[in-house]
Amino acid sequence: MCAQEHEGHRNRMRERFLAGGLEGFAPHEALELLLYYALPRRNVNPLAHRLIRTFGTLDAVLSAAPERLAQVEGVGMHTAVLLSLVAPLVRKANHTRQNERPVVTNYREAREFCLGLFDANADEVFFVVCLDAQGRVLRAVRAFTGTIDETPVYPRTVVRIALENNAHSVVLAHNHPSGVAEPSDGDVATTNVLREALSTVDIQILDHVIVADGEAVSLFQWERTRRMALPVAAQRRAADTQRPRSRSSGTVGKGEHEQNPTRRI
């Protein structure tokens, strides 16, 4: 394609977008339109196709880390930064609705809010979302960061974060970067220990959200669904096994939290 034909193609693509947004655009065409503004003098159609082939989907391209994008032939760091900026910018815009604090009062709102906390992290990250008495978000604190397989969680740190932010309740959230958005036994056990630790300062856990691959699952809703599916006898056995041990048993012993994490999630 000569320079004149290429410029005409760009103009037609822009006119399509101005007339109807991205409706009717193929994924590679939407990506091509964005690439025009990073590489204004190049035919970016082959690069758009190459990026889709490399990462599989448009969402995966826009969720990739800049360093990974820059490994693709034809992508410099300038282009990589532009592409990787799109997804977090959209998430940030969704969270700043007319400068109002987001409200989290139920499972759905917890999932939606927590989805916006996570970028394409290679490691597990654990957030404590502090809420006031009306469920408005006071602050979302990145409390812990771990390896791709596990994150150490210290109850005393979670309690401190909640108190420092005058939280009435909290939502816990962490990601499974190498797995699926389904609670593990470790997630359930950690939540029980943190629930006990926070109850000592009259702070409630509203939910614990697990995020993976663009999806979010409410641990509390997941537990509720499982309980409803269990026979009565099985419910009683599950309640016995999940009931937190007394403080005298040493589950959340005073002064031990920072030295030994409750478990690794």
Side-chain angles (χ1 to χ4, degrees), residues 126-157:
F126 190 98
F127 280 91
V128 179
V129 182
C130 300
L131 310 173
D132 66 12
Q134 285 72 47
R136 293 179 299 229
V137 175
L138 299 169
R139 190 182 174 201
V141 181
R142 184 183 296 223
F144 310 106
T145 301
T147 67
I148 195 169
D149 297 317
E150 56 184 27
T151 300
V153 176
Y154 298 90
R156 192 167 70 181
T157 299

Side-chain angles (χ1 to χ4, degrees), residues 128-131 162 167-172 198 203-207:
V128 179
V129 182
C130 300
L131 310 173
H168 178 268
S169 60
V170 298
V171 171
L172 309 175
L198 287 163
I203 295 176
Q204 176 188 7
I205 298 178
L206 181 65
D207 204 348

Side-chain angles (χ1 to χ4, degrees), residues 91 106-118 171-176 179-183 207-222:
R91 286 193 292 266
N106 55 48
Y107 299 143
R108 178 184 59 79
E109 291 170 348
R111 292 195 308 269
E112 290 178 355
F113 180 83
C114 292
L115 263 176
L117 296 175
F118 296 91
V171 171
L172 309 175
H174 78 280
N175 60 331
H176 287 175
V180 295
E182 181 173 322
D207 204 348
H208 186 165
V209 176
I210 293 90
V211 174
D213 197 24
E215 297 182 357
V217 169
S218 159
L219 187 149
F220 285 13
Q221 187 177 31
W222 177 82

Side-chain angles (χ1 to χ4, degrees), residues 40-74:
R41 295 179 178 83
R42 281 178 50 187
N43 176 8
V44 295
N45 179 273
L47 179 57
H49 281 284
R50 188 179 306 127
L51 284 163
I52 296 290
R53 284 197 306 271
T54 300
F55 292 95
T57 65
L58 177 61
D59 177 67
V61 173
L62 298 178
S63 299
E67 296 79 9
R68 180 70 184 89
L69 289 164
Q71 294 174 5
V72 177
E73 181 185 353

